[in-house]
Amino acid sequence: ASTSAVAEWLRLTAPHFDELLACLGHWQNERLAALAAAPAEAASVYWWPFTQHALAGPVTVIDSRCGDEFTLLARPEGAAEGDADEALTPAFDACASWWTQGVGARGQADLTRAAAYAAGRWGHVMFPENTHDAALGLCRRLLGDGGPGARWASRVFFSDDGSTAMEIAFKMAFRRFYVNKGLLPPSPPSPSPLAESSGTAGDPSPLPQLLLVSLTNSYHGDTLGAMDAQSPSVFVGPLQSPWYTPRGLFLEPPSLALRDGVWAVELPAELARAAAGHNGQVWRERADALDVSSRLGSPPPAAYR
């Protein structure tokens, strides 16, 4: 009796399951069609960062992500053009979405819940002279034992992105230098905008312009000040920003690479000449190559100094 009852239930509900399956298939087809149309629309409405649009290659269509993997619209691996329809397939995010993705699937869920909670509780808070327990809690973790600022930092300055953080660090360093050299008082008494722009309050002489020590081919961000701290390259310069003015002493650093099973140092040409032929030092173990204390007395560091 129970078998016949189940069979009858399956017969009666089959149309509903068929309808559900048809709806899911229709929804999936519409979803794939929208994803397939995305490259053409994107190419017509985007200005992509770090892209020479005349030379842009195929557009990667990202449907979603979980942990370190994207779900992309792509043909199955090994399938030739026209041999298989595009389908959703996982792909490892090897570039970590340009430095913003550093957590696994569990951490992604935790961050999503925390961000949703913060947005619901506080929304956006203007931070000058305000506080809340989320900011204080983060400061305790950053400055406390085990935090990145433990035993050397006493305060936290919050910023919203890396390039802006670099600009803030530049301004702090410049101000500290001026104060240390006696060019500015430690706590100026609310100077006027004119005095602030021209020099110390009551002194019309301009403050000296400062340069940063920076590595050749380094990257600090895309705001104007951060770009000025970078050496001339394809990413900066008049074609990228007419206001670009390099403001650094740019040093070409040595490089360390693993080649043919050994760790080798290669020096820039000028430094190699000063090191009297000591270019190409090699080590079997990475730990030996990174043992700074044992290398400080060798010719290359002496030449670099």
Side-chain angles (χ1 to χ4, degrees), residues 45-114:
V45 297
Y46 289 164
W47 286 120
W48 280 294
F50 300 110
T51 300
Q52 177 54 261
H53 286 68
L55 305 176
V59 177
T60 300
V61 180
I62 301 171
D63 176 71
S64 59
R65 83 170 302 132
C66 181
D68 294 325
E69 288 192 334
F70 286 127
T71 299
L72 308 180
L73 182 69
R75 288 184 178 81
E77 187 174 356
E81 185 87 17
D83 288 349
D85 292 334
E86 291 182 321
L88 296 177
T89 182
F92 182 71
D93 181 10
C95 64
S97 289
W98 278 351
W99 321 299
T100 61
Q101 179 69 22
V103 296
R106 174 59 189 274
Q108 181 182 353
D110 292 342
L111 284 176
T112 300
R113 283 192 294 269

Side-chain angles (χ1 to χ4, degrees), residues 166 170 212-215 218 220 224-231 244-248 250:
M166 291 301 299
F170 296 159
L212 292 159
V213 176
S214 181
L215 297 179
S218 57
H220 308 297
L224 289 173
M227 291 176 69
D228 286 354
Q230 302 169 45
S231 59
Y244 168 69
T245 304
R247 302 175 188 272
F250 302 112

